[in-house]
Amino acid sequence: MAAASFARAVSLLLLFLLAGSARGKTVKRDVKALNEIKSSLGWRVVYSWVGDDPCGHGDLPPWSGVTCSQQGDYRVVTELEVYAVSIVGPFPTAVTNLLDLRKLDLHNNKLTGPIPPQIGRLKHLRILNLRWNKLQDVLPPEIGELKKLTHLYLSFNNFKGEIPVELANLPELRYLYLHENRFTGRIPPELGTLKNLRHLDVGNNHLIGTLRDLIGDGNGFPSLRNLYLNNNELTGVLPDQIANLTNLEILHLSNNKMIGSISPKLVHIPRLIYLYLDNNNFIGRIPEGLYKHPFLKELYIEGNHFRPGARSKGTHKVLELPDADILV
């Protein structure tokens, strides 16, 4: 009886160990992709990537910046964070073979060349952070195939051409950072159909058109809180329809070529906190209600043609959202 119990216990232990071994394997596709990336990256990354299995094996831990998750009997790579390590060279196309990737963060490196169209293969991607690199060329329309994307950071690069209208195909997108590039043309008004978009920053580019072109009748952008259009070549007036963006907290229009008077309907944006109108060609008076607005902290109007008596409000601090607030 004791011998039978012992044999049964040994059998169960062996089954458990075999099952654990099977569960511990990393899918070959991801192992191959990460090793290709390893062979192409600089020494600062490679020295900490020990062994052949990026998810770790035996006594070897997972590679630095690599996060894996269990999927059935295998492990898959779900996050790759390799930033601020001076990676030099083209965007590592092998990344697009990590088909279960949810977060890709390669910011603050020295990556060059275009984003490859294969980026559209990453159907589970939620966060794509490539800011502070030297990437260039046009954005591939395949980015619009990343249906689960919530955060897109492409600022401080050398992208050119028009902002692809396919970005409007990202129903979950909340944060869109495209500032400090070389984009031209008009901002796609289709972005207004993004029901979850909270932050849109296209400042410091070479964009044209009018604010009315972008917002239409004001029924789009239902969740938008922060709108940065500064340092472009926008023209036209500040339309009354801007008041329909009732969740707006920041409106940054500095350093454009806008004209006309300031719509008194701005007063009716209930949560407006920061309003930057400086260095345009606005005329007339500042609506008195803006000075009495219960939430407005900053009103910057210098460099226009307002009537005498127009005055700024606040201390005019440079407005930046900390990383803790945007990379969630």
Side-chain angles (χ1 to χ4, degrees):
M1 185 72 176
S5 298
F6 177 76
R8 187 162 50 250
V10 170
S11 297
L12 289 172
L13 179 60
L14 287 172
L15 286 173
F16 175 79
L17 291 174
L18 288 170
S21 175
R23 284 196 297 270
K25 290 183 179 179
T26 303
V27 67
K28 290 182 179 179
R29 175 202 66 211
D30 290 2
V31 173
K32 180 181 179 182
L34 262 298
N35 276 281
E36 285 182 19
I37 296 167
K38 178 180 178 179
S39 66
S40 67
L41 297 184
W43 66 268
R44 296 189 184 189
V45 178
V46 173
Y47 87 93
S48 64
W49 283 9
V50 180
D52 294 326
D53 191 337
C55 297
H57 182 72
D59 295 332
L60 295 176
W63 292 357
S64 175
V66 176
T67 300
C68 300
S69 299
Q70 197 72 35
Q71 191 177 91
D73 293 333
Y74 293 91
R75 293 178 299 181
V76 295
V77 176
T78 52
E79 296 185 7
L80 181 60
E81 300 175 87
V82 185
Y83 52 83
V85 289
S86 298
I87 299 173
V88 178
F91 182 95
T93 304
V95 165
T96 64
N97 292 324
L98 300 172
L99 300 184
D100 294 288
L101 209 59
R102 298 174 188 170
K103 181 177 183 179
L104 177 59
D105 188 348
L106 302 176
H107 84 269
N108 199 8
N109 284 295
K110 298 178 182 179
L111 295 175
T112 56
I115 297 176
Q118 295 94 321
I119 195 73
R121 302 178 66 205
L122 302 180
K123 306 299 184 184
H124 298 283
L125 201 62
R126 298 181 183 275
I127 297 174
L128 177 58
N129 188 357
L130 301 175
R131 60 194 173 118
W132 286 107
N133 277 286
K134 298 181 179 181
L135 295 165
Q136 55 202 53
D137 214 335
V138 298
L139 290 186
E142 287 81 2
I143 286 184
E145 298 173 13
L146 307 177
K147 302 299 184 182
K148 295 185 178 180
L149 202 66
T150 60
H151 297 65
L152 180 57
Y153 305 104
L154 301 177
S155 51
F156 297 99
N157 279 285
N158 295 309
F159 293 117
K160 65 179 183 179
E162 296 189 352
I163 297 172
V165 68
E166 286 82 2
L167 293 180
N169 297 334
L170 303 175
E172 303 298 323
L173 194 63
R174 299 178 185 178
Y175 296 90
L176 178 56
Y177 285 76
L178 301 176
H179 59 285
E180 293 283 353
N181 280 286
R182 300 177 182 178
F183 289 116
T184 55
R186 300 175 185 270
I187 309 165
E190 290 85 354
L191 295 178
T193 64
L194 296 174
K195 296 182 179 180
N196 295 299
L197 189 64
R198 300 176 185 177
H199 185 104
L200 173 59
D201 189 346
V202 295
N204 290 87
N205 282 286
H206 306 287
L207 299 166
I208 62 172
T210 70
L211 188 53
R212 181 64 190 275
D213 291 337
L214 177 61
I215 68 171
D217 57 10
N219 290 329
F221 298 104
S223 300
L224 194 64
R225 298 176 184 175
N226 309 323
L227 180 57
Y228 287 73
L229 304 176
N230 55 290
N231 296 81
N232 281 291
E233 300 172 21
L234 301 181
T235 55
V237 302
L238 183 53
D240 290 345
Q241 290 80 2
I242 192 70
N244 293 337
L245 305 185
T246 55
N247 289 309
L248 208 59
E249 297 176 1
I250 300 171
L251 179 58
H252 200 339
L253 301 175
S254 304
N255 297 295
N256 278 288
K257 300 176 181 179
M258 299 182 68
I259 61 173
S261 58
I262 303 304
S263 171
K265 293 192 175 182
L266 275 174
V267 176
H268 302 302
I269 303 178
R271 299 182 184 89
L272 190 62
I273 302 173
Y274 300 100
L275 177 59
Y276 292 95
L277 305 173
D278 54 295
N279 297 306
N280 280 280
N281 293 305
F282 292 121
I283 60 173
R285 300 181 183 275
I286 300 295
E288 189 63 29
L290 286 176
Y291 296 111
K292 300 176 182 178
H293 194 290
F295 287 94
L296 192 64
K297 295 180 180 179
E298 296 275 349
L299 172 61
Y300 208 0
I301 65 170
E302 285 79 356
N304 285 287
H305 306 288
F306 292 117
R307 292 185 182 181
R311 63 191 187 279
S312 294
K313 180 180 181 180
T315 55
H316 316 316
K317 294 179 181 179
V318 175
L319 216 52
E320 288 288 347
L321 290 181
D323 288 351
D325 289 341
I326 60 176
L327 280 178
V328 295

